[in-house]
Amino acid sequence: MASRSRVALVLRRTRISTAPSTNPLRPLSQIRWQSTATTEDAEGVAQGTTGTSKTIKFTSETYPEIKRDSKFAEITEDHVKFFKEFLGKEASVIDGVTKDATDDIEPFNGDWMRKYRGHTKLVLKPGSTQEVSKILKYCNDNMLAVVPQGGNTGLVGGSVPVFDEIVINMSRMNQIRSFDDVSGALVVDAGAILEVVDGYLAERGNIFPLDLGAKGSCQIGGNVATNAGGLRLLRYGSLHGSVLGIEAVLPDGTIVDDLSKLRKNNTGYDLKQLFVGAEGTIGIITGVSILCPQRSKAVNVAFLGLESYEKVQQAFKAAKGQLSEILSAFELMDNQSQDLVQQVTKNKRPLESEHPFYCLIETSGSNSEHDNEKLQSFLEDVMEKEIVTDGVVAENETQVRNLWGWREGIPECLGHWGGVYKYDLSIPISELYSLVEETREKVAKAGLMGDTDEHPVVDVVGYGHMGDSNLHLNVATRRYDKKVEKELEPFVYEWISKRNGSISAEHGLGLAKKAFIGYSRSDTMIALMKQIKKLYDPKGIMNPYKYI
Amino acid sequence: MAALRILVPVKRVIDYAVKPRVNKAQTAIETSGVKHSMNPFDELSIEESVRIREKKSYPHGVDEIIAFSIGPPKSVDTLRTAMAMGADRSIFVETKEGEEVEPLAVGKVIRELVKREGINLVVCGKQSIDDDAGQTGQIVAGLMGWGAATQASKVSFGEKGVEVEKEVDGGTETVRSQLPMVITTDLRLNEPRYASLPNIMKAKKKKIDKISAEELGVSLERRLKTLKVIEPPPRQGGGKVDDVDGMIAKLKELGAI
């Protein structure tokens, strides 16, 4: 038995020859993006993935129309002294005010996509809710703007400063506070890393109701603050449903202790919901209580090739009908996205021949034979009806992970050439893919797309959570170029608006989508949101220049 | 010269990505409710056999690839996978759930099948990852009086015989043998394919012949008794320090500096 793990490791190394992980002990180390970051060092991620962070343009240069709000005070040595005194430890304050700490601070200023970069000179890492409260009260009293930051894996520039906002990084608050294995209620610090928490739950037979590619770095607090969607939404629903309670700190230092473990609580306004998806604009989440379902014992994955988007829809309908309660993911990938993944990873494609579309279907249930039988008869059915052209079924865990790698690896691989324009959209399912086709045509017509260096665009690809009508339209580029942006915006947003879709299905608003909220929300809705913001953060110090 | 008749023994084992746990009575590994799949080395054996056929690397071709398994009823799934990957048919010797068969008995069963089916090449994994015995291939070769080329990382058919490369410390060792023979497979031999849907469906129509050990005249009686199974002691976790001072203090505390 002793050599078992060794065998598995060698296997993994031989089969997944491009695994970027330098740490062979991490079990999920194939091409999940950001897997090079160790789980202990979330804030190192930006550094790890933005090897050329020095070359990222400052957000203030990319968006010259955004001006620093003069109502905010400049950080002085006195401020730093105050923070150092009560946070105590050297490691809790990264001080670029009284000395040069550019290299230490850079990872907190830049995002992993190399798209946004701020000018902060001060990073604070509180270790408790009380410390967060003290920091915020002080900042509120002194008109110092702040940016709450989790794993900094966001996609809309919400977790990095624009100017000199103080970064409040939550990574030191990473404890699991309690877990009730009867009810499944888990209480964790906001800075706990998703994969670590999920590993903890796995040992106890439960599962975190959220999963996404960045799981090795992203933090629960950030997941909740951005209302992250991810790969398990189809099965376990949105965080608005699974979050039972929240502990948060308001800008004036008030600690909102609503860490309820109750499934039901119809007493008054459900205020915790305001913090879910508020992106740190009304307070900082410091703790989360969340309902964690039983982990499925049997997981099966099939990877299918289809010849048209018509067929994809038929397959989805058939999957819902025949797999019903065990269907846990239905992911769509177009051939272009798979091409790019292959170019980067050099892995062998799961299917021998190429198909215009691929679907990844995952089932999870409690009885592997029952699930297997269902999946087999579903697959036979779609093959016989010629809905699906070809497909493979994972025969073991490693194949399960490898097949998922072809879906989860897309975001990282697209960034290989330089940058990615990302659109995360909710679209009525029947028209989901037309947007990709139209965008591709538009970009090609403008002469921006090609194989050589003078073309900024590598390819336009579409993939996403078919099960949630959520499309990721991504434009992989060699460099960020205003010409490309002009082709894409407002074209994409207008297209979405016409179909009553959402311009941000799961990524949030941050800085990137702030200006475009009007395409998805009415003036009345936006006015109401602004009232909330004003009520909770009257001085406007929380994550300024973003959201609404 | 005759075409190849290949026998590939496969075993259903706990999936190699699953962490095995010892049962409460400390008599064996907990197997119920645990994901099982084909022993990874056996996947390589099937893949290699199918490639010999597809690439026509043996000049006289491949007549038949037969998958074989001995184990509890669910081993049928493993045989189906083998057939979905390209084996033509299967032979299955069923044992009771939880009954472990020792390599010698497996070897004797294989010997009988080799005789019955006119097999001239046995391709098997160098070991199964559950008991790690690593004996079956060699025992079969011994019982048959055949050559055994173990831990193959490359197999080729030349004019002078079958050439097998194996990775050894600091290089490669090449051995040559004549058919009939046994080859045991190692990790670098190939990358097993996924079972494709059309092939999975075809595999359902392929034949699995059931036969008992008695019919083959082989006794499965064990000669070894497992006294106790225990887990290795858990690794002592490391601690984390906040800064350089913390590290120095810790080192001093441990008497390292």
Side-chain angles (χ1 to χ4, degrees):
Chain A
M1 232 47 216
S3 69
R4 182 191 174 88
S5 58
R6 199 181 63 230
V7 168
L9 283 175
V10 176
L11 262 177
R12 210 172 288 138
R13 240 175 278 143
T14 49
R15 283 208 188 164
I16 315 153
S17 48
T18 55
S21 174
T22 49
N23 181 351
L25 291 173
R26 278 170 50 77
L28 296 165
S29 62
Q30 78 288 37
I31 52 174
R32 284 165 187 268
W33 56 280
Q34 300 195 347
S35 60
T36 41
T38 64
T39 47
E40 294 84 15
D41 188 18
E43 69 275 20
V45 170
Q47 206 167 32
T49 47
T50 55
T52 52
S53 61
K54 287 265 150 53
T55 62
I56 320 175
K57 252 170 107 176
F58 283 113
T59 311
S60 53
E61 288 167 15
T62 324
Y63 297 85
E65 65 279 10
I66 305 176
K67 298 274 180 258
R68 186 183 182 281
D69 195 329
S70 57
K71 74 178 175 185
F72 297 125
E74 304 269 351
I75 305 167
T76 64
E77 285 182 28
D78 285 343
H79 296 145
V80 178
K81 213 174 121 207
F82 171 82
F83 291 126
K84 273 191 179 162
E85 257 164 33
F86 90 87
L87 284 171
K89 283 184 221 148
E90 189 70 15
S92 313
V93 181
I94 302 178
D95 166 21
V97 180
T98 59
K99 57 184 183 213
D100 179 41
T102 318
D103 286 347
D104 290 340
I105 281 189
E106 212 40 49
F108 302 91
N109 261 328
D111 78 321
W112 74 273
M113 295 187 300
R114 284 167 252 156
K115 209 168 171 183
Y116 302 98
R117 184 178 166 207
H119 299 268
T120 199
K121 289 204 168 64
L122 185 62
V123 178
L124 304 176
K125 296 187 188 174
S128 69
T129 308
Q130 279 69 31
E131 285 181 2
V132 176
S133 163
K134 245 177 151 173
I135 293 173
L136 281 189
K137 185 170 181 346
Y138 184 81
C139 290
N140 201 42
D141 292 345
N142 291 280
M143 278 312 278
L144 291 163
V146 302
V147 181
Q149 188 177 74
N152 200 4
T153 62
L155 296 157
V156 289
S159 57
V160 286
V162 181
F163 298 101
D164 58 347
E165 301 96 280
I166 298 171
V167 171
I168 302 182
N169 186 286
M170 300 301 288
S171 57
R172 274 183 63 223
M173 289 188 66
N174 58 4
Q175 298 303 305
I176 289 164
R177 297 193 197 170
S178 71
F179 177 62
D180 181 339
D181 62 356
V182 179
S183 68
L186 170 84
V187 183
V188 287
D189 280 351
I193 287 165
L194 178 57
E195 193 169 19
V196 175
V197 175
D198 196 45
Y200 170 91
L201 289 166
E203 282 171 26
R204 286 151 184 83
N206 289 59
I207 191 168
F208 200 83
L210 170 80
D211 184 22
L212 37 83
K215 65 166 77 168
S217 320
C218 67
Q219 300 173 6
I220 306 294
N223 295 147
V224 174
T226 56
N227 189 17
L231 306 165
R232 288 179 188 155
L233 192 123
L234 178 67
R235 179 65 168 271
Y236 300 116
S238 114
L239 288 174
H240 277 295
S242 41
V243 170
L244 300 174
I246 272 176
E247 179 189 79
V249 178
L250 299 182
D252 64 3
T254 309
I255 296 174
V256 182
D257 182 4
D258 184 25
L259 268 184
S260 160
K261 291 177 212 162
L262 306 174
R263 188 91 198 255
K264 295 173 159 181
N265 185 6
N266 272 357
T267 47
Y269 297 119
D270 193 2
L271 295 179
K272 66 168 185 285
Q273 300 294 1
L274 283 180
F275 292 89
V276 181
E279 300 180 31
T281 56
I282 56 173
I284 298 186
I285 297 174
T286 53
V288 173
S289 157
I290 189 162
L291 189 68
C292 300
Q294 287 293 314
R295 203 176 195 90
S296 297
K297 284 199 196 102
V299 175
N300 288 301
V301 168
F303 191 91
L304 312 174
L306 306 98
E307 62 190 26
S308 69
Y309 185 67
E310 267 310 298
K311 303 262 177 183
V312 174
Q313 291 180 68
Q314 289 172 21
F316 179 52
K317 224 176 132 190
K320 281 202 295 188
Q322 296 177 37
L323 300 171
S324 51
E325 82 282 359
I326 59 166
L327 182 66
S328 57
F330 194 105
E331 296 288 316
L332 167 74
M333 297 149 273
D334 62 5
N335 190 37
Q336 285 82 353
S337 71
Q338 297 300 287
D339 253 349
L340 297 185
V341 172
Q342 188 184 22
Q343 281 181 40
V344 177
T345 64
K346 310 270 190 308
N347 285 343
K348 200 175 141 232
R349 300 270 284 257
L351 301 181
E352 309 246 315
S353 51
E354 290 196 10
H355 307 267
F357 292 95
Y358 297 91
C359 288
L360 186 148
I361 295 181
E362 185 192 76
T363 65
S364 27
S366 54
N367 184 331
S368 119
E369 273 154 61
H370 165 259
D371 291 8
N372 243 330
E373 212 170 282
K374 264 189 158 171
L375 184 64
Q376 291 295 346
S377 65
F378 160 74
L379 292 172
E380 267 174 40
D381 185 55
V382 289
M383 283 294 288
E384 261 162 33
K385 290 186 182 142
E386 291 180 353
I387 297 172
V388 166
T389 328
D390 197 2
V392 295
V393 179
E395 297 291 341
N396 55 51
E397 282 292 313
T398 307
Q399 289 189 351
V400 166
R401 287 174 197 170
N402 286 353
L403 289 179
W404 263 116
W406 286 94
R407 165 63 185 86
E408 289 185 305
I410 299 173
E412 184 190 27
C413 293
L414 293 183
H416 177 77
W417 288 267
V420 188
Y421 287 97
K422 288 175 177 291
Y423 299 94
D424 155 47
L425 312 157
S426 275
I427 303 173
I429 206 155
S430 58
E431 293 182 281
L432 192 85
Y433 198 74
S434 345
L435 176 63
V436 183
E437 286 163 346
E438 285 179 39
T439 309
R440 190 178 291 139
E441 207 175 298
K442 193 163 186 290
V443 173
K445 234 186 214 162
L448 295 168
M449 192 160 85
D451 293 332
T452 49
D453 208 38
E454 70 263 23
H455 299 96
V457 176
V458 182
D459 211 340
V460 176
V461 310
Y463 60 96
H465 316 295
M466 179 90 183
D468 315 325
S469 302
N470 182 186
L471 173 80
H472 294 308
L473 168 70
N474 280 199
V475 181
T477 60
R478 298 185 171 87
R479 57 196 167 263
Y480 290 114
D481 189 324
K482 280 280 169 199
K483 269 187 282 180
V484 179
E485 205 173 311
K486 261 175 73 186
E487 283 300 316
L488 298 171
E489 292 171 17
F491 164 74
V492 171
Y493 296 125
E494 281 169 0
W495 198 96
I496 294 298
S497 184
K498 249 184 259 167
R499 287 155 184 87
N500 292 325
S502 171
I503 57 148
S504 190
E506 58 175 7
H507 292 173
L509 294 167
L511 189 71
K513 306 284 158 70
K514 182 193 176 191
F516 308 105
I517 185 175
Y519 287 104
S520 287
R521 298 283 196 185
S522 69
D523 292 347
T524 320
M525 290 305 293
I526 297 170
L528 284 170
M529 288 185 201
K530 286 194 168 151
Q531 281 179 22
I532 301 269
K533 164 81 180 169
K534 215 166 162 75
L535 178 70
Y536 283 86
D537 181 22
K539 292 190 174 178
I541 63 159
M542 300 298 301
N543 217 358
Y545 318 111
K546 299 166 193 157
Y547 204 59
I548 45 168
Chain B
M1 285 289 278
L4 286 178
R5 292 187 54 77
I6 306 175
L7 183 74
V8 186
V10 298
K11 186 174 185 182
R12 179 177 180 268
V13 298
I14 293 179
D15 193 285
Y16 49 79
V18 173
K19 187 172 183 270
R21 295 188 190 281
V22 175
N23 67 6
K24 287 218 174 71
Q26 294 196 322
T27 53
I29 299 298
E30 194 62 68
T31 53
S32 65
V34 177
K35 168 106 177 155
H36 282 68
S37 43
M38 191 193 294
N39 179 37
F41 294 104
D42 303 345
E43 278 187 317
L44 296 159
S45 309
I46 291 279
E47 178 66 32
E48 194 61 22
S49 307
V50 176
R51 284 189 193 187
I52 292 172
R53 167 184 276 161
E54 287 173 350
K55 293 190 174 151
K56 301 188 169 52
S57 39
Y58 182 65
H60 305 285
V62 175
D63 180 33
E64 196 168 35
I65 300 169
I66 305 172
F68 152 75
S69 190
I70 178 166
K74 281 183 187 160
S75 304
V76 168
D77 294 348
T78 306
L79 289 171
R80 292 271 175 225
T81 306
M83 292 190 291
M85 287 174 72
D88 300 305
R89 64 185 173 93
S90 298
I91 300 172
F92 180 40
V93 175
E94 190 177 313
T95 62
K96 282 197 283 294
E97 190 70 52
E99 181 184 355
E100 275 291 320
V101 188
E102 286 170 7
L104 181 58
V106 177
K108 286 177 179 170
V109 169
I110 293 175
R111 176 185 62 188
E112 296 309 313
L113 294 176
V114 164
K115 286 187 200 156
R116 279 184 173 218
E117 300 288 345
I119 297 296
N120 52 12
L121 177 63
V122 174
V123 185
C124 59
K126 69 166 183 174
Q127 71 193 98
S128 69
I129 60 166
D130 52 358
D131 58 18
D132 280 344
Q135 301 168 3
T136 306
Q138 291 90 320
I139 286 177
V140 171
L143 291 172
M144 296 302 301
W146 291 359
T150 54
Q151 283 116 303
S153 63
K154 191 178 172 205
V155 176
S156 52
F157 297 85
E159 277 174 23
K160 292 179 180 166
V162 184
E163 286 190 5
V164 174
E165 283 180 21
K166 43 192 193 170
E167 287 180 352
V168 292
D169 285 346
T172 319
E173 182 185 323
T174 309
V175 294
R176 188 190 303 136
S177 172
Q178 304 302 321
L179 292 168
M181 69 180 292
V182 175
I183 296 173
T184 74
T185 58
D186 208 341
L187 291 171
R188 305 207 186 262
L189 183 58
N190 58 49
E191 190 185 337
R193 67 194 63 194
Y194 292 94
S196 81
L197 281 183
N199 287 336
I200 290 172
M201 285 160 72
K202 271 185 223 151
K204 289 200 169 162
K205 300 197 180 86
K206 292 181 181 173
K207 213 165 59 173
I208 299 182
D209 292 315
K210 255 179 135 178
I211 190 165
S212 69
E214 291 85 61
E215 277 174 79
L216 294 168
V218 177
S219 158
L220 299 183
E221 200 186 335
R222 287 184 69 88
R223 297 166 181 233
L224 299 171
K225 194 176 166 202
T226 304
L227 299 179
K228 198 176 180 188
V229 182
I230 49 168
E231 278 186 33
R235 189 182 151 270
Q236 297 289 325
K240 256 169 70 175
V241 291
D242 283 328
D243 45 25
V244 176
D245 290 341
M247 186 170 79
I248 291 168
K250 198 81 195 163
L251 288 172
K252 277 187 179 150
E253 187 190 313
L254 296 168
I257 48 170

